[in-house]
Amino acid sequence: MNEATSFIAALQEAVRAEFLTNAPAQIPAPHSDEPWSLTVRAALAGSTDGTAVDAVAAIDRAWREAQKREPSRPIEQLIRALDDTTRRAAFQALEEARRSFPAPGREQDVFECVEAVLGPAPEWMPAFKRFVSKRLARLVLIPTWQCELRCNYCWIPKQDGRVMEFETIERAIDLLTASDHRHLNLQFFGGEALIEWPRVQHAITYASARANDVGKSVDFVLSSNGWSLTPERLNWLKGHPVKLELSLDGDRHTQATFRRGADGRDSYTHSIAANVEAIASSGLDHEVIMVVQPKTVSRLHDNFFHVADLGFLRVQINFALGIPWAPGYITTFAAELHRIGLTLRERWAADSPLCLVNLEQEPMPVRLNGEVHVDFDGKLYGSNGFLYENDHKHAFAVGHLDDLFGFDRYWLDAPDNTFLLEHTYSPDVTANNLSVGAILSSFVRWMRAGGIGPADTGA
């Protein structure tokens, strides 16, 4: 596989060179007698013009035919790595032309060459803009749909039997590591991923090994309610580059109001509230996401600092989506955010390291999740909106692992936030939620203008 990986890299470089020079770039044939190499030689021999772009198509066809005859995980990995090479190389060449060619018209030459192969620019320009954005290459796994909680604002049906097979986990990770990105991110979501702890362990171990094999790095995000985050598991996780995204909505009353345990247990006692010391001492990067409901929005300030005073120094505020907020609740939301801002500045003046995570990025009224997701059965989606099992689910479907496409294809063609909004909630609810989000965005801009921590507030 090392030779195969090197060959694909050379192939990609030759395609890029072909765009940059607007002339044929020949591909050196591999020299080993491995089965994949023989397939490649046959494909190259059948190439119509010997150019890199033509060779990509020929080799892709040959490998896919070989996979049909005798399915093989190594060949599957090669197909994924080769997929969409021409477009990726074209984008790389165009980006380099924009950055490196001062001569008038040189960028236009490359642009016209790209259009000749990929088609009119409006068809591929959204993907190119995403390509140059250098956003993180993240894949989200759904190991299970089951959960220990029955939160009354969670629309995800908790279903037994929806558990990801180990082979599906490995194939999903093979999809991710086929990316051109050098640094990769694998996130666990659900359901509650930790219910399937052996699968989480296997995914982390396998992904680390695969990334190393192809000369890349990978880190992990584990989204969890924390019920199953035992000291033993924390001890295992701390040996890996894992970030914990934990959830706690506030004090005991708030937690019990909206987040009951499936087995009747107290959802506050068994939450991360009782596990602060172990989480902190693990040394794992972590933050807490608290969801604010209209009915308890008047307690937002107190709930935020309750979570902080437990010992969690990075807290993110998410307001409940998919439900309408009455005008009075929106007004209270604004007032409570203002109170949080004033108290934060008081604490920062006393050198508190407390961080409101929302302040770390430019505000957007409603930012939905548009990452590539792999469901338990190998189906691929362009958003976590598919988990709601509503009439819009089909809009987020992008394929299946059996399609053998590469990760970067899905990543480049990911739906934008406008598409996600149009297909997740009803228009009236979306409009209402955008007005709530505008309040949060305004608050974030106000806070950022005055500094977002003790070091830059002038205190």
Side-chain angles (χ1 to χ4, degrees):
M1 285 298 292
N2 288 335
E3 184 182 0
T5 302
S6 298
F7 178 74
I8 288 176
L11 184 64
Q12 291 170 332
E13 176 62 21
V15 175
R16 184 187 68 85
E18 189 168 311
F19 281 105
L20 286 173
T21 62
N22 200 17
Q26 301 299 321
I27 307 298
H31 299 293
S32 84
D33 291 325
E34 292 295 324
W36 74 269
S37 298
L38 300 179
T39 302
V40 169
R41 289 180 185 179
L44 289 173
S47 175
T48 58
D49 60 13
T51 67
V53 169
D54 184 69
V56 166
I59 294 170
D60 182 71
R61 287 192 300 269
W63 279 348
R64 290 181 184 274
E65 286 301 316
Q67 183 72 358
K68 290 179 183 177
R69 293 193 302 270
E70 189 175 348
S72 159
R73 283 281 293 281
I75 294 293
E76 176 177 321
Q77 293 167 9
L78 291 171
I79 294 171
R80 294 195 191 282
L82 185 68
D83 179 57
D84 210 19
T85 282
T86 296
R87 182 170 62 156
R88 288 181 281 141
F91 287 171
Q92 184 181 353
L94 185 55
E95 181 184 23
E96 184 173 329
R98 289 185 168 187
R99 184 177 62 249
S100 305
F101 293 140
R106 189 65 182 88
E107 180 186 332
Q108 185 62 30
D109 290 343
V110 177
F111 187 91
E112 290 175 358
C113 184
V114 171
E115 277 201 306
V117 175
L118 300 186
E123 296 179 1
W124 48 260
M125 189 55 69
F128 176 68
K129 290 180 178 178
R130 186 173 178 88
F131 179 87
V132 298
S133 73
K134 305 303 181 185
R135 288 179 56 184
L136 179 68
R138 174 177 292 175
L139 183 71
V140 184
L141 295 187
I142 312 295
T144 177
W145 284 53
Q146 196 50 271
C147 182
E148 303 99 334
L149 298 179
R150 294 297 182 268
C151 305
N152 62 11
Y153 57 77
C154 178
W155 297 4
I156 302 173
K158 312 302 184 294
Q159 299 184 27
D160 290 328
R162 294 190 171 193
V163 176
M164 186 174 284
E165 298 290 342
F166 284 89
E167 182 182 16
T168 304
I169 291 172
E170 293 181 1
R171 294 182 71 206
I173 291 167
D174 291 344
L175 168 68
L176 176 62
T177 55
S179 172
D180 278 344
H181 290 76
R182 308 309 302 173
H183 181 69
L184 310 171
N185 183 270
L186 184 67
Q187 180 171 2
F188 302 93
F189 197 66
E192 170 54 52
L194 284 176
I195 289 179
E196 296 297 333
W197 172 242
R199 286 167 168 77
V200 171
Q201 287 181 296
H202 182 71
I204 292 174
T205 301
Y206 183 81
S208 298
R210 281 290 299 132
N212 183 69
D213 287 344
V214 295
K216 297 172 183 171
S217 64
V218 61
D219 56 25
F220 307 91
V221 175
L222 177 59
S223 298
S224 174
N225 58 41
W227 276 46
S228 300
L229 198 59
T230 63
E232 293 75 19
R233 292 178 178 182
L234 283 166
N235 187 60
W236 189 90
L237 289 170
K238 73 180 183 182
H240 304 273
V242 176
K243 175 184 177 181
L244 303 176
E245 281 190 354
L246 306 171
S247 58
L248 182 66
D249 289 351
D251 60 18
R252 184 183 302 274
H253 170 77
T254 302
Q255 186 80 354
T257 299
F258 298 106
R259 310 190 68 182
R260 64 181 180 84
D263 59 1
R265 287 185 293 172
D266 175 26
S267 64
Y268 184 85
T269 301
H270 292 87
S271 73
I272 59 173
N275 209 15
V276 180
E277 184 176 346
I279 294 170
S281 62
S282 73
L284 289 165
D285 187 14
H286 63 278
E287 58 190 46
V288 175
I289 298 174
M290 55 180 297
V291 179
V292 183
Q293 298 291 320
K295 291 183 179 180
T296 54
V297 69
S298 62
R299 302 172 61 88
L300 172 56
H301 172 277
D302 294 346
N303 276 326
F304 177 86
F305 287 102
H306 176 85
V307 173
D309 291 340
L310 286 172
F312 295 110
L313 298 180
R314 292 181 54 81
V315 185
Q316 177 175 316
I317 296 173
N318 287 357
F319 65 92
L321 295 170
I323 58 173
W325 286 61
Y329 290 136
I330 297 177
T331 300
T332 302
F333 184 50
E336 288 292 296
L337 287 172
H338 186 255
R339 287 183 64 203
I340 288 174
L342 295 178
T343 304
L344 270 174
R345 296 209 179 282
E346 290 176 359
R347 295 199 176 194
W348 290 340
D351 291 328
S352 169
L354 177 60
C355 173
L356 173 57
V357 176
N358 305 68
L359 305 181
E360 295 182 343
Q361 57 186 336
E362 290 295 328
M364 181 182 292
V366 176
R367 189 190 306 268
L368 298 180
N369 188 311
E371 307 289 356
V372 182
H373 289 66
V374 183
D375 198 7
F376 78 101
D377 55 2
K379 292 180 180 177
L380 301 172
Y381 297 89
S383 167
N384 63 5
F386 78 93
L387 292 166
Y388 299 154
E389 289 284 29
N390 56 25
D391 294 338
H392 302 295
K393 178 174 182 175
H394 69 279
F396 304 122
V398 296
H400 192 283
L401 288 174
D402 289 345
D403 298 333
L404 302 188
F405 291 143
F407 174 83
D408 289 343
R409 175 189 293 272
Y410 299 115
W411 182 81
L412 289 172
D413 294 333
D416 62 22
N417 203 62
T418 300
F419 178 92
L420 298 178
L421 285 171
E422 289 176 351
H423 293 85
T424 302
Y425 308 116
S426 64
D428 56 333
V429 170
T430 296
N432 173 272
N433 288 176
L434 286 171
S435 67
V436 181
I439 297 296
L440 181 56
S441 295
S442 177
F443 166 73
V444 169
R445 285 191 294 269
W446 172 65
M447 289 293 292
R448 284 169 64 96
I452 61 172
D456 58 358
T457 58

